[in-house]
Amino acid sequence: IGKTDYDFFSKEQSDYFNSQDRSTFKHGKIENIPEEVVHLPNLGTRILQMSKVPIFDETSNPQYLLGITQDITDRKRAEAERDLLLKELSHLNFSLERKVYERTQELSEALTNLKTTQQELILSGKMAALGQLTASIAHEINTPLGVIRGAALNIVSSFHTALQKLPLLLLRLSPTQQMDFITLLNTSLPQPSLSTRAERQLLQQWEEELNKLGILNSEAIAFELVLLRLAPESLAFPSILRSPESLEILQVANSLVLQSQNIQSIQQEVDRAAKIVFALKTYSHHSQSEEKSLINITDSIEIAIALYENRLKQGIEVARCYDPELPKILGNPDQLTQVWVNLIDNAIYAIGQQGKLEIVVEQQANFLMIEITDSGRGIPVELLHQLFDPFFTTKARGEGSGLGLDIVKQIILKHDGDIQVRSQVGQTTFSILLPIADIDNG
């Protein structure tokens, strides 16, 4: 009954036990004896697990007490090694969790620092672009100021001329001449300016027409008629042209028309200066908020174009192709203006003095596609994959930081968009996809 690892019985005891008819024996409940550490010859120190079980005969009388001994040394050692391993694993797990927590905190801080650095880079790039634009913008604002100053002086001068001559002149004119005088003014006021070549041709036509009519001093009168932007096929105003005072009448008319033209020039230049100032103010504005709003994408593009207007008008043709009914997008206008400024600045640099800049905005499914194409020298194919890498630039040393396109890409990605570039000699295109705002779903 049972198995013994070590035989502690004498030979006589074993022989007697084995000689009995054990078919009638029954055993009772096994009782475990506490483990014991013993030293066995040839085996060394062992750990034994001993048990005892009573043996009963057919009348249920106890006849024997069977002892069972198991050597559990290997098992106990394995359990000890297991417990030690579990303890080490628990310690390692605790250390790992602590390191993961610490590393997570470090990564969280690094991410915060990265976002801060990114914002600083965007702001730095914006300030660098502003620095480059300062001289151009100053010149651009000085130009309308000069036009306004000159127009104001012309208004003062022509006003004094008209004030001195007009009342007396009107008294000398007949009713017919007065009506022709008013018609002449109304005809001249909306006329656009002419090129030098067109003025020469118009002057020649008037001289020929006046000579046919036999009007004296035809050259001086023709000059005044050209200033009034009147063509020979328009109303002839015979009562004025045949008057001995025709030259004086036309000069007074010119002084009045000149005031209107100068006022229009002032209004145009004021609007132009206001547009530049608005673009500069909008671009230089820096918001700490990352909040997005519904915007018209072409508005931010036009702000960027206005900032570079002085450089563009020196020999670069700007072609706009906007879909007439573009949907709005959800975006940060400050950041998107930064994108267009960087891309237009790069395009101007690539074009040089003469060329074409084309901007196309159209809807493609649930996206707006913005393509900015320049006619510059192009980008080598082997460099295209590096174009958006930080600190990589194709510009000459000292002319670029290599951060502009990296900032552009980060802003586009923050708007859930995508940017790609394709290039060949004479044509480089940056294509940007931006998702259209889902107004219905907020």
Side-chain angles (χ1 to χ4, degrees):
I1 302 175
K3 177 184 177 183
T4 60
D5 292 294
Y6 303 105
D7 191 0
F8 293 102
F9 298 98
S10 66
K11 186 177 184 305
E12 291 78 8
Q13 291 172 325
S14 297
D15 290 342
Y16 173 79
F17 182 72
N18 290 329
S19 66
Q20 301 300 308
D21 181 8
R22 288 178 285 173
S23 63
T24 60
F25 292 168
K26 297 179 181 179
H27 66 83
K29 182 179 179 181
I30 297 176
E31 182 180 347
N32 291 325
I33 300 173
E35 299 169 0
E36 185 176 352
V37 180
V38 299
H39 184 77
L40 299 177
N42 302 323
L43 293 176
T45 301
R46 311 297 292 179
I47 302 174
L48 304 179
Q49 174 69 62
M50 292 175 286
S51 304
K52 60 182 180 180
V53 57
I55 305 298
F56 303 96
D57 59 16
E58 66 275 7
T59 60
S60 298
N61 292 317
Q63 296 294 319
Y64 305 99
L65 181 64
L66 182 62
I68 302 172
T69 303
Q70 288 183 317
D71 187 343
I72 60 173
T73 305
D74 293 340
R75 191 187 76 188
K76 297 299 289 186
R77 286 176 180 172
E79 289 176 352
E81 291 177 356
R82 181 200 63 191
D83 292 342
L84 180 61
L85 180 60
L86 288 175
K87 185 177 181 180
E88 290 178 353
L89 286 175
S90 177
H91 176 72
L92 289 174
N93 187 55
F94 175 77
S95 299
L96 181 60
E97 288 180 352
R98 185 178 64 184
K99 289 181 179 179
V100 168
Y101 174 78
E102 292 174 351
R103 188 58 176 164
T104 302
Q105 291 296 107
E106 292 175 1
L107 289 175
S108 178
E109 292 176 5
L111 180 60
T112 301
N113 293 335
L114 181 61
K115 289 181 178 179
T116 302
T117 302
Q118 186 182 61
Q119 290 300 318
E120 291 175 351
L121 285 175
I122 292 175
L123 181 58
S124 175
K126 181 183 288 188
M127 293 301 104
L130 280 175
Q132 295 174 358
L133 288 168
T134 299
S136 176
I137 292 174
H139 176 76
E140 192 66 15
I141 294 177
N142 281 333
T143 299
L145 288 178
V147 172
I148 291 170
R149 187 181 298 109
L153 292 174
N154 286 335
I155 289 175
V156 172
S157 176
S158 58
F159 175 77
H160 285 305
T161 300
L163 186 62
Q164 292 173 3
K165 295 183 177 182
L166 182 60
L168 295 176
L169 179 65
L170 290 176
L171 291 176
R172 298 200 304 269
L173 297 181
S174 66
T176 301
Q177 289 175 326
Q178 289 180 3
M179 292 298 298
D180 281 349
F181 182 77
I182 294 173
T183 304
L184 181 148
L185 290 176
N186 290 331
T187 305
S188 302
L189 288 177
Q191 297 299 319
S193 60
L194 299 175
S195 66
T196 304
R197 181 180 179 182
E199 284 185 351
R200 288 199 302 267
Q201 292 176 345
L202 185 58
L203 181 63
Q204 184 178 358
Q205 292 173 6
W206 264 119
E207 287 182 5
E208 293 175 355
E209 187 68 24
L210 293 174
N211 288 329
K212 289 179 183 178
L213 296 174
I215 296 176
L216 302 177
N217 203 10
S218 60
E219 184 176 350
I221 294 175
F223 179 76
E224 295 297 330
L225 289 168
V226 170
L227 291 179
L228 290 168
R229 307 290 186 263
L230 295 174
E233 57 268 18
S234 64
L235 296 176
F237 315 112
S239 67
I240 291 178
L241 295 180
R242 295 183 182 279
S243 170
E245 299 176 322
S246 60
L247 183 58
E248 183 182 358
I249 296 172
L250 294 175
Q251 287 174 342
V252 173
N254 257 320
S255 66
L256 294 173
V257 171
L258 183 60
Q259 291 183 58
S260 175
Q261 291 174 345
N262 283 318
I263 290 171
Q264 290 180 2
S265 296
I266 289 174
Q267 185 60 53
Q268 291 174 356
E269 296 304 320
V270 167
D271 291 343
R272 180 180 169 192
K275 178 182 176 182
I276 296 168
V277 171
F278 173 78
L280 183 60
K281 179 181 177 181
T282 303
Y283 180 63
S284 61
H285 173 262
H286 176 62
S287 174
Q288 297 290 341
S289 174
E290 292 289 321
E291 186 176 349
K292 297 176 182 178
S293 59
L294 289 175
I295 60 172
N296 293 314
I297 197 67
T298 54
D299 290 346
S300 59
I301 293 175
E302 287 301 314
I303 288 173
I305 293 175
L307 290 171
Y308 286 96
E309 187 171 345
N310 184 60
R311 289 173 61 183
L312 291 169
K313 72 180 182 181
Q314 293 177 6
I316 298 177
E317 176 191 353
V318 180
R320 300 170 175 84
C321 184
Y322 303 157
D323 275 358
E325 296 183 0
L326 289 170
K328 293 183 178 182
I329 70 164
L330 193 63
N332 185 303
D334 291 349
Q335 294 179 359
L336 288 175
T337 301
Q338 175 76 17
V339 169
W340 317 132
V341 165
N342 283 339
L343 294 179
I344 291 175
D345 181 75
N346 287 344
I348 293 173
Y349 179 87
I351 293 172
Q353 298 298 321
Q354 300 286 332
K356 183 177 181 180
L357 173 64
E358 184 177 6
I359 302 175
V360 178
V361 185
E362 60 186 11
Q363 182 176 355
Q364 291 189 0
N366 296 324
F367 292 86
L368 286 188
M369 169 71 82
I370 302 97
E371 290 196 329
I372 299 179
T373 303
D374 68 71
S375 61
R377 52 185 175 272
I379 303 169
V381 177
E382 62 272 16
L383 298 181
L384 288 178
H385 70 285
Q386 297 178 268
L387 212 55
F388 297 100
D389 292 348
F391 305 108
F392 177 81
T393 179
T394 59
K395 295 180 179 179
R397 186 179 182 88
E399 294 186 359
S401 65
L403 292 173
L405 289 179
D406 175 54
I407 291 173
V408 165
K409 184 174 182 179
Q410 297 306 319
I411 293 175
I412 295 300
L413 292 178
K414 285 169 64 176
H415 284 76
D416 301 319
D418 185 43
I419 181 169
Q420 301 292 332
V421 60
R422 59 185 184 273
S423 183
Q424 62 184 24
V425 177
Q427 187 179 65
T428 297
T429 300
F430 284 87
S431 301
I432 298 98
L433 278 176
L434 292 172
I436 295 170
D438 188 356
I439 301 177
D440 293 336
N441 295 326

